[in-house]
């Protein structure tokens, strides 16, 4: 009797798991770096008047910052570009340019505009690993103390903009 | 128009199966005391269900063959340039078509079952009724959530091509074989439910159950083997088992049906373990449905994932809950009637079988839990975790060791009650042979992990004792008939166990002794590995029916003597530009030379050359198991007549 | 909806056409290379369906393979490297889940299931 009960409980938990599982996206993986201070990273200079940045640059800014990982060879990055531009009107956006060719990047920026405060080149993908990036584009939102508070995986679409702005405004009102 | 005919016949089949379980139900409700004879012939109706489904299925095949791209399914999964073979196999290379194939096999089995000549009419009728209910549920699933005859507007001019990975003869026959296995379980389930309803003697039930268990087991074995073989040569790096959710989903019913076919033998011989036979019959089908749910609902990420849709997931989940719930309740209410026959001594043939089944079911439980655990932590703790090959290897391997021991000792034990001393006495020649074999293993020892050496030693022991078993059967036969004939009827167990043994040797050998050469190779350059020399002769551009390929040529030499030419390819398919690697394999009993090519780096090609020792033994093992299963199938079928 | 799906495809395939481990990644030191393989076999490729980074052709998998080898050459131990990657990507990257309160049941499950079945079987035996 008790053994049957154990079996029954097991089945109920399994079914519950499946019901909850059906409403979740298995591909959405949360960042492990949420609520930690930004990692160490080193980016290469691009030149042509584009500023590079490093960890201390980010730490010095006493405001909410956005770090966007992108590349010119990545089609979804092009799609999110106009949303990134909109965000750049009010916020600092730093770009980590992953495994790109200098000329491709410059053409890309010329054509679409440069919304970034500074762009560093991550030629070998090492800085991206330090940031826990696994597919681009990815976007991090940092609070005033340069802690990572939110990560968006995939392109920021028009409909994501509202949520992102909300998160930023909450962070702006923090101390 | 043909597609609409297909849909009409699908609906017809659905209605006929509804009729088959509704009419008898109404009759019994209306005349509870009346005659048990049912007013219409379920046998004839089962035939009709099969024929209507067959017509519906043929309509779908026709749409694929004539490349009718006004259907959603053909425009997504076929193409006018596709070779005819893949147009036909493309029918089951997608969710909708494969479920229709599933229904077709299921109704076919209903049809086959209606041809059985059973003494117990009630058992037969009830089984057909339960089976029709299952067919009805599956056809509802097709009709409401995955209708293969859906039109699109405007119709496409050209189809999007079948997934290139599926354009391969190995994978073309893999799904039907696997479905025969899965769907065989549905008959087993129906029989068990029908038996719980009709309060009859167990003898006929077990006798009827047996061929169906052997049928589904044999084809599950072959299906899993084919899938693994396909992965080996198609995925381009020589792995054969990945513990992927989809593979686990097919492994689960295989494990329980293996346990089931062992308990059936006990149930038949000693009238024991009947409650286990009934429970396992029900569990096996539930697990194959669970596997379907995991694969088709998109709750898990997997290499083989189908395009998915949440409504399908909900439907299969409801199906799963209904079917396993009904089975569970019936079991709970009736099982006590059969459990008094289970008095079993551990030191006996049935004791060994039972203990081995416990290990087998522990493996089943662990694989099941490992597969769904990431879902569980995500649902209840908001944590994403991965459970993969390292976990399964660490937990399953230790469980296999006592099982192999059980397979060695079990067949040597007597039914009923045995004595430890006598077992030892009977074992003496085997122990001696094994001692010599162990010495051989030590002699050939390499710096492998300890568990691998244990596996190899045990597997050799098992192979030896299985062969010894067959030899003894031959000897008995020789004394009786004075002729040297292998008595095929009785060697099935030995063959299947021998198959397991060489499968373990193959799997262990290939995992730890694998030699790998990955390099940039110049045209004309020779790479030597494991006694072979592989000379790279160059790459030519070839154009296939629906792809372009880099077609490489390698010459294989052994000790300077020419062996064969190997042609690995890298294909780019015209539609979707998907790249696939087609490895070239030279198989020998001692090992495979496995070559795949990569990119061209200004004249230097990336070539990957593996020497995979004993890999072919894995498939040979599967083949032996399949043949063993078929022999038992044939015998149990004859006994039924 | 459609465009979104296409985007996800782009994201997943990452567009860098590298086919699993490349010859230029392999270390000269066979022992270090062997250790690199051991490490890669337990790390999951995050963007792939269910592959370890050794068998994957995604860009991130290649980056991680290179990282592992650089760190090995720099003298780090296997567990140091695995811990580093685990720290960056979380439990999801490990194919063998770490022992935590929410994975405890998974790790003890073979024993639990075995004893459950054993009990079920021998309880039946006791009845008569």
């Amino acid at each position: 009797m008790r053994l049957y009960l154990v079996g029954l409980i097991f089945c109920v938990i399994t079914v519950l798991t499946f019901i909850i599982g059906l409403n979740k996206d298995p591909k959405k993986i949360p960042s492990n770096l949420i609520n930690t201070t930004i990692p160490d990273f080193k980016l290469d200079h691009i030149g042509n008047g584009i500023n590079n940045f490093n960890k201390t640059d980010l730490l010095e800014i006493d405001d909410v910052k956005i770090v966007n990982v992108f590349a010119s060879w990545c089609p979804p990055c092009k799609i999110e570009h106009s949303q990134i531009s909109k965000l750049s009107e009010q916020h600092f956006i730093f770009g980590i340019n992953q495994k790109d060719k200098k000329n491709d990047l410059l053409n890309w920026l010329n054509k679409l505009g440069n919304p970034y405060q500074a762009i560093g080149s991550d030629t070998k993908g090492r800085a991206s690993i330090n940031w826990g990036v696994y597919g681009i584009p990815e976007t991090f939102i940092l609070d005033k103390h340069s802690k990572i508070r939110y990560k968006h995986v995939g392109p920021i679409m028009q409909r994501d903009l509202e949520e992102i702005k909300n998160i930023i405004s909450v962070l702006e009102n923090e101390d | 128009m043909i597609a609409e005919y297909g849909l009409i016949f699908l609906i017809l089949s659905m209605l006929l199966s509804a009729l088959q379980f509704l009419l008898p139900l109404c009759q019994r409700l209306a005349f509870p005391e009346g005659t048990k004879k049912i007013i219409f012939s379920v046998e004839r109706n089962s035939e009709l269900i099969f024929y209507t489904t067959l017509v519906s299925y043929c309509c779908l095949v026709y749409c694929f063959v004539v490349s009718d791209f006004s259907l959603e399914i053909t425009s997504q999964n076929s193409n006018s340039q596709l070779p005819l073979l893949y147009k036909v196999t493309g029918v089951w290379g997608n969710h909708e078509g494969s479920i229709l194939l599933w229904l077709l096999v299921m109704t076919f089995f209903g049809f086959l079952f209606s041809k059985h000549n059973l003494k117990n009419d009630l058992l037969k009728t009830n089984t057909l009724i339960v089976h029709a209910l299952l067919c009805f549920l599956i056809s509802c699933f097709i009709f409401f959530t995955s209708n293969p005859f859906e039109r699109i507007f405007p119709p496409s001019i050209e189809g999007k091509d079948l997934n290139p990975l599926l354009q391969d003869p190995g994978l073309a026959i893999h799904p039907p074989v696997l479905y025969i296995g899965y769907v065989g379980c549905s008959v087993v389930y129906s029989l068990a439910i029908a038996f719980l309803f009709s309060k009859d003697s167990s003898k006929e039930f077990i006798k009827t159950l047996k061929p169906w268990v052997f049928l589904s087991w044999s084809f599950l074995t072959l299906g899993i083997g084919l899938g693994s073989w396909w992965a080996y040569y198609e995925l381009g790096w020589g792995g054969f088992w990945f513990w992927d959710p989809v593979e686990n989903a097919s492994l689960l019913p295989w494990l329980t049906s293996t346990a089931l076919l062992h308990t059936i033998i006990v149930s038949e011989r000693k009238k024991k373990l009947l409650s286990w036979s009934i429970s396992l019959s029900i569990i096996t089908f539930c697990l194959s449905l669970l596997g379907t749910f995991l694969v088709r609902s998109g709750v898990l990420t997997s290499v083989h994932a189908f395009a998915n849709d949440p409504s399908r997931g909900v439907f299969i989940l409801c199906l799963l809950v209904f079917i396993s719930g009904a089975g569970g309740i019936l079991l709970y209410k009736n099982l006590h009637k059969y459990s008094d026959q289970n008095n079993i001594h551990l030191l006996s043939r049935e004791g060994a079988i039972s203990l081995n089944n416990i290990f087998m079911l522990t493996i089943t439980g662990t694989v099941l839990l490992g597969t769904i655990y990431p879902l569980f932590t995500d649902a209840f703790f908001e944590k994403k975790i991965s459970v993969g090959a390292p976990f399964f290897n660490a937990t399953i391997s230790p469980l296999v060791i006592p099982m192999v021991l059980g397979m060695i000792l079990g067949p040597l034990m007597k039914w009923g009650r045995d004595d430890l001393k006598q077992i030892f006495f009977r074992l003496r020649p085997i122990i001696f042979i094994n001692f010599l074999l162990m010495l051989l293993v030590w002699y050939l020892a390499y710096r492998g992990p300890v568990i691998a050496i244990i596996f190899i030693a045990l597997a050799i022991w098992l192979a030896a004792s299985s062969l010894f078993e067959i030899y003894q059967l031959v000897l008995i036969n020789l004394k009786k008939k004075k002729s040297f004939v292998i008595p095929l009827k009785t060697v099935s167990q030995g063959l299947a166990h021998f198959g397991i043994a060489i499968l373990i040797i193959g799997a262990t050998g290939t995992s730890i002794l694998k030699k790998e050469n990955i390099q940039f190779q110049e045209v004309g350059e020779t790479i030597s590995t494991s006694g072979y020399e592989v000379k790279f002769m160059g790459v030519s551009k070839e154009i296939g029916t629906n792809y372009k390929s880099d077609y490489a040529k390698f010459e294989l030499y052994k000790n300077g003597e020419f062996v064969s030419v190997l042609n690995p390819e890298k294909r780019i398919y015209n539609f979707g530009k998907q790249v696939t690697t087609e490895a070239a394999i030279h198989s020998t009993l001692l090992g495979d030379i496995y070559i795949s090519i990569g990119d061209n780096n200004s004249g230097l090609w990336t070539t990957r050359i593996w020497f995979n020792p004993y890999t072919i033994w894995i498939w040979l093992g599967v083949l032996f198991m399949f043949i063993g299963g078929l022999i038992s199938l044939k015998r149990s079928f004859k006994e039924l007549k | 909806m459609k465009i979104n799906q296409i985007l996800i495809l782009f994201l997943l395939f990452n567009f860098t056409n590298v086919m699993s481990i490349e010859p230029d990644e392999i270390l000269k030191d066979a022992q270090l290379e062997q250790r690199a393989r051991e490490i890669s076999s337990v790390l999951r490729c995050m963007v792939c369906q269910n592959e370890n980074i050794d068998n994957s052709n995604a860009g991130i998998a290649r980056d991680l393979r290179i990282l592992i080898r650089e760190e090995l050459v720099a003298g780090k131990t296997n567990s140091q490297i695995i811990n580093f990657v685990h720290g960056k990507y979380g439990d999801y990257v490990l194919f063998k889940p770490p022992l935590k309160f929410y994975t405890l049941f998974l790790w003890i499950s073979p024993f639990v299931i075995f004893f459950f079945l054993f009990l079920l079987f021998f309880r039946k035996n006791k009845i008569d």
Side-chain angles (χ1 to χ4, degrees):
Chain A
M1 185 57 221
R2 258 178 294 166
L3 288 174
Y4 277 111
L5 211 65
V6 174
L8 187 71
I9 290 170
F10 181 76
C11 291
V12 170
I13 291 177
T14 312
V15 171
L16 269 179
T17 306
F18 288 159
I19 293 171
I20 301 173
L22 275 174
N23 298 317
K24 290 200 164 197
D25 182 4
K27 292 192 183 81
K28 233 181 185 171
I29 305 146
S31 170
N32 205 39
L33 300 175
I34 298 289
N35 289 332
T36 60
T37 311
I38 50 168
D40 294 317
F41 62 96
K42 195 178 157 294
L43 296 171
D44 297 330
H45 216 279
I46 291 170
N48 279 48
I50 296 172
N51 293 327
N52 193 5
F53 69 103
N54 58 29
K55 189 179 177 182
T56 35
D57 293 335
L58 289 177
L59 287 171
E60 272 167 10
I61 299 173
D62 188 22
D63 200 353
V64 175
K65 289 141 290 200
I66 297 171
V67 175
N68 178 245
V69 188
F70 75 104
S72 67
W73 48 263
C74 136
C77 299
K78 203 167 172 178
I79 290 166
E80 73 167 1
H81 188 270
S82 63
Q83 277 73 252
I84 295 285
S85 303
K86 259 178 224 155
L87 286 171
S88 74
E89 287 161 13
Q90 285 156 21
H91 310 285
F92 294 109
I93 298 192
F94 292 86
I96 295 178
N97 180 239
Q98 205 196 67
K99 295 188 230 162
D100 223 339
K101 290 190 185 97
K102 186 181 164 186
N103 285 337
D104 291 349
L105 172 70
L106 292 176
N107 284 337
W108 196 79
L109 290 175
N110 276 337
K111 219 160 77 187
L112 300 167
N114 182 359
Y116 300 100
Q117 191 80 18
I119 304 175
S121 170
D122 182 22
T123 33
K124 290 202 170 141
R126 182 61 195 261
S128 300
I129 291 177
N130 284 353
W131 279 83
V133 172
Y134 57 84
I136 60 174
E138 283 187 19
T139 308
F140 296 86
I141 301 178
L142 318 182
D143 66 9
K144 290 178 182 170
H145 310 289
S146 289
K147 267 189 181 171
I148 297 172
R149 298 295 290 272
Y150 181 81
K151 174 165 112 166
H152 184 94
V153 179
I156 296 173
M157 308 297 282
Q158 189 66 38
R159 59 169 185 277
D160 300 320
L161 218 50
E162 202 58 36
E163 194 195 343
I164 292 202
K165 280 183 176 161
N166 281 340
I167 292 166
I168 292 174
S169 69
V170 169
L171 292 182
E172 272 175 339
N173 294 328
E174 282 180 354
D175 295 323
Chain B
M1 256 332 264
I2 293 292
E4 277 67 36
Y5 286 136
L7 191 60
I8 289 168
F9 276 96
L10 177 66
I11 296 170
L12 255 177
S13 134
M14 187 162 92
L15 293 177
L16 283 173
S17 28
L19 204 67
Q20 179 142 330
F21 69 88
L22 285 178
L23 262 185
L25 199 72
C26 293
Q27 191 196 356
R28 277 191 201 158
L29 285 178
F31 311 104
E33 301 300 320
T35 165
K36 288 251 162 115
K37 192 97 184 128
I38 289 170
I39 39 178
F40 86 123
S41 159
V42 281
E43 283 94 347
R44 285 224 57 94
N45 200 39
S46 296
E47 270 178 48
L48 275 180
I49 297 173
F50 169 59
Y51 292 140
T52 45
T53 318
L54 185 64
V55 172
S56 168
Y57 187 78
C58 290
C59 292
L60 189 61
V61 174
Y62 177 82
C63 292
F64 268 85
V65 171
V66 301
S67 298
D68 176 1
F69 295 126
S70 64
L71 290 185
E72 165 101 46
I73 180 176
T74 42
S75 69
Q76 294 290 330
N77 298 294
S78 189
N79 187 283
S80 55
Q81 289 183 15
L82 215 55
L84 184 66
L85 171 71
Y86 298 127
K87 279 184 182 167
V88 175
T89 63
V91 175
W92 57 73
N94 58 79
H95 168 76
E96 290 87 352
S98 64
I99 291 280
L100 191 63
L101 175 69
W102 171 298
L103 182 71
L104 179 72
V105 179
M106 201 156 167
T107 53
F108 175 62
F109 282 173
F111 167 72
L112 269 189
F113 192 84
S114 71
K115 295 285 171 214
H116 271 325
N117 254 333
L118 295 192
K119 277 180 223 119
N120 184 347
D121 215 26
L122 192 63
L123 182 66
K124 185 176 170 183
T125 336
N126 279 352
T127 308
L128 284 174
I129 290 169
V130 177
H131 198 256
L133 175 63
L134 296 180
C135 291
F136 173 72
L137 291 172
I138 299 289
S139 42
C140 279
F141 174 61
I142 297 177
F143 183 70
F144 291 111
T145 68
S146 19
N147 176 11
F149 300 106
E150 196 106 301
R151 297 264 183 195
I152 41 167
F153 192 83
S156 313
I157 296 155
E158 184 55 286
K160 270 186 190 166
D161 210 9
L162 178 67
N163 184 349
L165 285 177
L166 306 183
Q167 295 184 26
D168 173 90
L171 209 73
I173 51 167
H174 163 69
V177 170
L178 203 58
Y179 287 171
I180 292 175
Y182 276 141
V183 176
C185 304
S186 78
V187 179
V188 173
Y189 173 89
S190 312
L191 254 167
I193 298 285
F195 175 65
L196 289 177
F197 268 121
S198 55
K199 297 143 186 97
D200 279 301
S201 85
S202 60
K203 206 175 163 197
E204 181 143 44
F205 163 65
I206 292 292
K207 246 183 146 181
T208 326
L209 192 63
K210 233 176 126 182
W212 291 99
V213 175
F214 280 116
L215 177 83
S216 60
W217 181 83
S218 309
F219 279 88
L220 270 177
T221 310
L222 188 66
I224 295 171
L226 277 174
S228 151
W229 179 55
W230 169 81
Y232 175 65
Y233 70 73
E234 182 72 29
L235 296 185
W237 54 274
F240 58 94
W241 190 261
F242 308 90
W243 295 106
D244 184 77
V246 174
E247 292 172 339
N248 294 350
S250 64
L251 191 64
L252 293 172
W254 183 84
L255 286 166
T256 51
S257 64
T258 312
L260 174 60
L261 67 88
H262 286 98
T263 59
I264 280 186
I265 295 168
V266 180
S267 298
E268 196 186 27
R269 278 295 264 271
K270 304 299 273 186
K271 295 249 165 27
K272 285 174 180 170
L273 290 180
L274 199 59
S275 57
W276 279 74
S277 298
I278 301 168
S279 321
L280 283 172
S281 305
I282 289 172
I283 290 170
T284 303
F285 184 58
C286 294
L287 284 178
S288 50
L289 270 182
L290 181 93
T292 314
F293 169 76
L294 290 178
V295 179
R296 317 264 170 156
S297 64
V299 288
L300 291 171
T301 48
S302 144
V303 186
H304 316 256
F306 279 84
N308 44 54
D309 175 351
S311 68
R312 285 175 194 158
V314 174
F315 201 112
I316 308 180
L317 190 58
C318 292
L319 252 171
L320 182 63
V321 171
F322 173 72
I323 289 175
S324 48
I329 290 167
L330 275 173
L331 278 181
Y332 178 66
K333 288 212 159 162
N334 295 299
L335 215 53
H336 57 90
K337 287 185 211 154
Y338 308 103
S339 49
D340 55 336
Q341 300 152 324
N342 285 346
N343 194 9
I344 279 179
H345 197 270
L346 250 188
L347 215 64
S348 65
R349 177 83 73 92
E350 56 265 44
I353 287 177
S354 308
L355 201 62
N356 248 19
N357 273 350
I358 290 178
F359 280 114
M360 193 101 69
L361 294 177
T362 308
I363 293 179
T364 315
T366 310
V367 173
L368 175 64
L369 214 73
T371 311
I372 60 177
Y373 208 81
L375 280 175
F376 170 73
T377 53
D378 191 23
F380 292 101
F381 300 104
E382 291 283 328
K383 301 274 185 196
K384 294 262 186 195
I385 64 162
S386 301
V387 180
F391 171 81
F392 290 111
N393 288 339
T395 49
I396 305 295
S397 311
L399 286 167
V400 174
I401 293 173
M403 257 177 60
V404 177
L405 268 175
M407 283 162 68
I408 295 166
L409 298 176
L412 292 157
M413 289 188 187
K414 278 187 186 146
W415 295 91
R417 181 78 199 256
D418 210 338
D419 185 65
L420 208 57
K421 251 189 202 161
Q422 284 191 348
I423 294 172
F424 181 74
F425 194 70
R426 251 173 281 140
L427 270 174
R428 264 192 332 191
I430 286 288
I431 290 177
F432 181 69
I433 294 168
N434 190 56
F435 180 70
L436 293 180
L437 285 172
M438 289 289 216
L439 282 180
L440 190 73
V441 173
W442 281 123
Y443 177 71
L444 300 169
Y446 32 81
R447 280 178 303 152
V450 182
I451 196 152
I453 294 176
I454 296 174
F455 267 137
I456 298 258
L458 276 177
I460 289 176
W461 191 0
L462 176 60
S465 76
S466 309
L467 287 178
F468 189 67
E469 196 188 318
I470 296 174
Y471 164 75
Q472 276 179 325
L473 288 169
V474 173
L475 219 59
I476 292 168
N477 210 44
L478 200 62
K479 276 178 191 160
K480 254 196 236 161
K481 292 183 186 163
K482 312 254 183 223
S483 65
F484 186 81
V485 189
I486 296 174
L488 261 184
K489 270 186 250 164
T490 40
V491 296
S492 56
Q493 171 190 308
L495 272 184
H497 283 180
F498 182 69
I500 294 264
I502 59 175
L503 190 153
I504 292 174
I505 295 173
T508 318
T510 194
S511 311
I512 54 171
L513 297 175
K514 178 179 279 206
K515 288 240 166 59
E516 171 201 79
N517 294 70
I518 300 177
Q519 62 277 312
F520 295 121
Q521 199 170 358
E522 237 176 308
V523 175
E525 195 184 335
T526 303
I527 303 286
S528 340
T529 176
S530 312
Y532 285 94
E533 293 92 47
V534 183
K535 192 173 181 193
F536 184 30
M537 305 304 290
V539 179
S540 57
K541 298 270 178 203
E542 299 278 328
I543 295 178
T545 45
N546 55 344
Y547 60 85
K548 293 184 189 70
S549 84
D550 290 331
Y551 192 80
K553 189 178 170 196
F554 289 85
E555 279 177 2
L556 189 65
Y557 296 90
K558 188 167 192 180
N559 305 324
E561 266 178 63
F562 176 75
V563 183
S564 82
V565 173
L566 290 171
N567 302 99
E569 280 180 70
K570 199 174 72 173
R571 291 184 183 168
I572 300 176
Y573 281 80
N574 296 350
F575 297 87
K577 301 287 169 228
Q578 213 173 292
V579 180
T580 67
T581 51
E582 309 282 319
I585 304 168
H586 173 75
S587 288
T588 66
L589 270 183
L590 286 179
D592 293 357
I593 286 283
Y594 184 111
I595 309 177
S596 68
I597 58 161
D599 293 332
N600 182 0
N601 315 282
S602 51
L604 291 170
W605 287 80
T606 304
T607 61
R608 300 187 173 80
I609 302 168
W610 279 277
F611 181 70
N612 295 330
Y614 311 121
T615 313
I616 203 166
W617 294 34
I618 299 173
W619 330 123
L620 281 179
V622 170
L623 212 60
F624 274 114
M625 281 151 75
F626 180 64
I627 292 169
L630 281 190
I631 292 171
S632 292
L633 171 66
K634 202 179 155 208
R635 195 184 48 190
S636 57
F637 209 71
K638 267 195 180 152
E639 278 168 11
L640 196 62
K641 283 184 178 165
Chain C
M1 201 54 215
K2 269 274 158 59
I3 185 133
N4 207 14
Q5 280 165 359
I6 296 165
L7 285 180
I8 285 167
L9 271 182
F10 276 131
L11 183 69
L12 287 179
F13 289 110
N14 223 328
F15 267 112
T16 35
N17 195 11
V18 202
M19 301 296 295
S20 72
I21 191 160
E22 288 288 313
D24 53 350
E25 294 170 18
I26 294 172
L27 295 173
K28 289 245 163 56
D29 183 338
Q31 239 171 342
L32 279 188
E33 179 61 27
Q34 181 59 33
R35 279 174 59 199
R37 294 302 170 88
E38 280 163 26
I39 298 170
S40 349
S41 72
V42 299
L43 295 181
R44 177 179 193 150
C45 162
M46 304 279 286
V47 292
C48 316
Q49 302 289 0
N50 199 3
E51 289 171 300
N52 64 36
I53 58 170
D54 232 4
N55 307 326
S56 164
N57 55 1
I60 172 73
R62 182 182 160 91
D63 293 346
L64 279 172
R65 286 196 298 266
I66 292 170
L67 173 119
I68 289 168
R69 286 171 176 79
E70 281 172 8
E71 300 284 296
L72 277 174
V73 170
K76 294 264 178 65
T77 66
N78 288 17
S79 57
Q80 271 173 331
I81 298 170
I82 292 176
N83 285 342
F84 172 77
V85 178
H86 181 200
K88 292 300 176 197
Y89 290 100
D91 295 340
Y92 190 76
V93 82
L94 299 182
F95 261 137
K96 205 175 183 173
L99 195 60
K100 292 195 177 151
F101 72 93
Y102 50 85
T103 59
L104 188 69
F105 184 67
L106 179 69
W107 281 105
I108 60 169
S109 65
F111 304 99
V112 173
I113 296 166
F114 183 78
F115 281 111
F116 180 79
L117 289 168
F118 208 77
L119 233 65
L120 200 70
F121 185 73
F122 284 95
R123 185 194 59 118
K124 289 270 171 57
N125 265 355
K126 251 187 274 168
I127 287 175
D128 47 19

